[in-house]
Amino acid sequence: MEGIELFIRNVKLDTSSTELKRFLAPLLEPFQILVFEIRIFKPKRETTKTEATLTTHKAIEGAKFVQHYKSPNFLHFGGKKLAISRSKQEPNEFLVRVLRREEKELLLEGYDISGATISPGAVGSLRRQFGISSVACGNWEYVGPQPHYRPYYELPIDATATFGDRCFVLEYETEIAADDQSFEALHYPPITESDSPTIKYRVRFHYSSIVSTVLDDQEVPSVICTLTEAPKIWANHARAIGLKGLPLEVSTSCQVYRLRLSDPSDISHLLHLERTRAFPQCSILAVKNVHFDLPFVDQISKLKMELEESRHSFTFPIKFQIQKLAQNGYLSPRVVLALVDYIAYLQKIYGPAPTVAALRRLFQQLPYAGPSTKAADLETRAIVDLLYRNIDGLTDNQSCQSSINSTSVMTIHKAEVTPTGIFLAGPDPESSNRVLRNYANYSDQFLRVTFMDEDGESFYFDRFMSNRVVFHEMFSNILRNGIEVGGRTYEFLGFSHSSLRAQTCWLLAPFMDLDQRVDADSIISKLGDFSHIRSPAKCAARIGQAFTETSSSIPLDRGCVEEVDDVERNGRVFSDGVGTCSSTILVTLQATQNSRMTPATVFQIRYEGAKGMLSLDTRLQDDILRLRPSMIKYRGTNESKIEICGIASRMLPLVLNRQLIKILEDLGVPNRVFEDLQSCAIDELQASVSSVANAASFLEKHDVGLSTQTTWLLRKMNSLGLALSDDMFFRDLLDAVVLIQLQELKYKTRIPVKEGATLYGIMDETDYLAEGEVFCPYIDRQGRADHAHGVVVVARSPALHPGDIQTATAVTVPEDSPLNALHNCIVFSSKGSRDLPSQLAGGDLDGDLYHVIWHQKLIPPCCHQPASYPRVPPLDIGRPIKRQDMSHFFVKFMEQDQLGRVATQHQILADQYELGTLHQDCIKLAELHSTAVDFSKTGIPYILQVSEDQLPRSCHMNTQFRPDFMAPGRKVKIEEHGIIFEPYGIDMLEDDDPRRVGEPKRKRYYESNKILGILYRSIDERSFFKELHERSAVIKDDSEPSTGVLTDLWEYVKGETRGLEWDQYEAEVYDIILQYSTHPTEHLEEIEVFIGNIICRAGYRSKRQKEYATGMKEKYDREVLSLIATIRDDQVTEEPYEALRRSMACLFIGIQEPSERKEKVEGCRRDTFGWIAAAACLKELERYQEDRDVGPLKKSLVTMKIEPRP
């Protein structure tokens, strides 16, 4: 018997599920029912009672419970006699599975279910609701040594504050008069027509954003919270852009909120909450108010006027940092104005670049104002002293970091726009594009703007809550009116396809170039002729080609360019997006590659108005570039340069993902195949610690330590006999990289397959391949040329339709075929009734990557008919497109993009249906997903093509219950002695429990019996790492971790250089740690910066964390390469072996204890500097030994008679 549903009558009206659950829990416990579900029904007519259901996965025990409490042994609750009977309805299958999993997980983690999760307990019975009479927004100001509160906005309200486990929520109502024309009255209409004319506000303060909390128990008892981000605000069923009448300048810069308590005695109850850890730690302090004559908005205006008038002739980068100080809330505008003269003096004496660098360092040094910070720390004199120390500590290299511009990288200023504020960021290095490259000397005239929620996450479509006001009032106003910074107004310019999905666009401040005004319209007009386009989405996509990130730009004579016809058949374009080039053109393209890369024969390019792939055709003579009509998206540009945005210099690994695995399972691939592949991946992780050589190879495979030369250093130290096994940094390094790969396996089901590759797709230009044949030449990691043979699986991601995976025959071409000159690509046939790429999730050849698998056990016994969706014509507005149309589409896309929602629903239903992805509901969702993918090009969201009612009915039913492989992962802590895995966080609180106030409805998970669930549960991180360390030959858990290996190396270096006479790195790492931490109070570890990846503390990385990790790795690699170049530069002086002396000095510094400043950032050590210095030092030592005719570096610690440090 699979579960049971009980029917409960005579439940008191207005009883919450939490209250009824707490009552029933101790009564059910004797029947061994520890986890159960309560559902309260809304009565259909006026009554004093209602009904409920109780569901448990234990059918026999549930039946016994009913039998025990039948008449006359009734239960009494809330003054009413409960009548309990077995329901006529069978329980929901997935709810039963959810309950079974929740009990299992809780018992495995050692929870006392009845006492800790369901019964009221000490925390559950606490008073959590308090009356609030006003809310204020302001800042801390110091009067003498004491902090005072300066409110810049205050709203009298009759509100209730409810304190939950993770946040507290302020709720209140305001009435709307019949003739009210205020913003709130116009934009937050009543929820229904019958509702009273009121606006119901909900303001959520998340505890993770609270820096400090003060309880003022004096004249006006209050709660004062200092925040890192603004609270989220809702008005009725819509997100709001601020409290009523709160100026944007105040909501941006002032993050200290004061809530006045209606009842002064509530202070004691709040203290009780804090003592039971149900509220952030508080301090008690008598806080006085302070008022200055100048309102905050006027202070900001005065500062902006000061910057605009340029009394001190500040350069724009300095103006940007000065405005950032005040606008981002680091200092009050009044204090920043007092600093202006000092900053002007620094610019005059030291120059603009060092001044900018000193100001940027200041952002990481300034403490939050408040009771825990001394007034002296934020006095003008103290801040000026910090600026001088920052400049004194800068190297020549760092002082120039604010203006790094090259053909591939530009230094760009940024802004971040949230529902309640505009924040300045950067400047940071960004990959260049055509527009930036054309105006390289004016890079600070461009502003990269990202729209996001208060917590930094992207905005997503919410079918239950409207975001219309945020999008059309806040975000649209920014794009319509621009952003003012440093006396400039930045206006909307454009966006690329990838930045559209990242909710990022470009703004431009008009400027003069060669006596010509350059503004957004003039830049667009020079890009090409777009006058014939009538679709905002299509026009934006065409212009967006110029904003695509490209690594290099190569001039090309137009006489080299030819246009050839596309290969078309049956309304299909077999050559969609692909052209060819001659050998001489290819050599020009290869010259842009890194010299260590294999010269590519396939490139993804942009040329004038064309985009797509170029492949080598050895039959072409001289300089020839052949383009096809399918590549040319617009004309009219005067430029003739090839820009490279993708290079097939290596075979990309084949990694299975959830979508591919699910379809292959449904097509008949046995579970055992996937389990064996995952076991191989686990074995490889275990093998990474079996020897130093394996560890070095493992790090190289995952691109860790290449810029720092760490893998070379590991091998050298191993050859010297240096003991690495008890070195703390080495252990942390391996643990961190292994953990990230393990998380990818468990929480993303990303399983590597050696017998496969991910390759750019191109077309067979020789007409040799028959229909259903492909040619897959590649160069493996060892540099060996090969190609796939026989039947292969070909697919493209994302894959939702079962026909998105097909098979083909990989063949060998004749020896004299031009195709043999190609590598790292898949060549598709130009024959047949339909091209293969279009069958694979609607692919084409303009840069799409294809998965090719020749692992024979992964070839399904049959394939499904591929999908064939009609092309949706772009939305036509019947006139030429204006910039305002494109900015409107940008906002519309943010508001209505539902790609993620459709993919999630598909994943859930594919697990729940026996047919999986073959079920008609999943096939319908796959079609909707295809439409959602095209939204960015057509301007037509799928919601306009199919109403909510036409969605599969199952999308509104069982998707509230999800398979366990979609559950959040274990929380991870990186401690000094290794990685700590916390228990799974099973959310047992009901949605109406006050402890979860302000949080979304909880997601419930059941054990999936499909392959994805099996693979997920087969990995346990704690057990894995325990076994890893037990079996490891290079990591010892039974010894006290040390940093001795670098000290031993130092002794060796000293011994080899007898007679030879012989910090800013930590500051750069410090800045990167704070800049790329995804939460202001949870900093990255230095080991994460070193490996160029972010360890997710909650199982797997979010999209935002991936983007942060990419930017962090790029910045760190640049810093490291610059540092190594500085250490090893022999041109600095004519002294012999100066580079060796310098590297020895750096190594000596690296083995010292961390500096005092480093201790201010948790987890920030100087270990990494020592390892970089060690690699540089050994490299220079090799040169020194060779000059002395010592020969190769072969001496060991044994021959040197140096004992490892105890």
Side-chain angles (χ1 to χ4, degrees), residues 326-392:
Q327 188 160 316
N328 288 22
Y330 289 95
L331 297 170
S332 72
R334 181 179 57 82
V335 174
V336 175
L337 280 165
L339 291 171
V340 165
D341 288 341
Y342 295 98
I343 297 171
Y345 181 77
L346 292 177
Q347 178 185 245
K348 179 180 179 181
I349 299 302
Y350 298 99
T355 304
V356 169
L359 283 168
R360 295 197 67 184
R361 185 69 48 78
L362 190 64
F363 295 117
Q364 317 298 353
Q365 298 168 320
L366 291 172
Y368 283 93
S372 60
T373 299
K374 296 179 181 178
D377 293 340
L378 289 174
E379 288 180 349
T380 303
R381 186 69 260 170
I383 298 171
V384 172
D385 287 344
L386 277 176
L387 287 172
Y388 274 106
R389 286 206 298 272
N390 290 344
I391 281 190
D392 290 341

Side-chain angles (χ1 to χ4, degrees), residues 47 104 148 158 244 330 341 351 554 578 733 735 750 758:
T47 179
K104 178 180 177 181
H148 288 52
D158 181 11
K244 184 175 182 179
Y330 289 95
D341 288 341
I554 308 161
V578 64
L733 174 65
D735 275 357
R750 290 181 55 82
T758 301

Side-chain angles (χ1 to χ4, degrees), residues 1085-1098:
E1085 298 289 331
E1086 188 172 355
I1087 195 71
E1088 293 173 278
V1089 178
F1090 188 81
I1091 67 175
N1093 219 327
I1094 295 175
I1095 297 172
C1096 181
R1097 273 63 173 171

Side-chain angles (χ1 to χ4, degrees), residues 728 731-732 735 974-980 1029 1037 1040-1041:
M728 182 169 61
R731 183 202 65 186
D732 290 348
D735 275 357
I974 305 174
E975 303 287 356
E976 183 178 351
H977 294 288
I979 296 171
I980 305 297
H1029 291 176
D1037 269 355
E1040 187 68 23

Side-chain angles (χ1 to χ4, degrees), residues 572 663 798-806 834-843 863-871 917 922-931:
R572 303 282 183 178
I663 293 175
L800 276 75
H801 191 280
D804 288 343
I805 292 179
Q806 296 292 320
R834 180 180 177 184
D835 60 303
L836 183 54
S838 71
Q839 300 177 47
L840 309 174
C863 289
H864 193 278
Q865 185 73 18
S868 181
Y869 307 127
R871 286 183 177 269
T917 57
C922 290
I923 290 177
K924 179 65 175 177
L925 284 172
E927 181 180 357
L928 295 179
H929 188 271
S930 175
T931 304

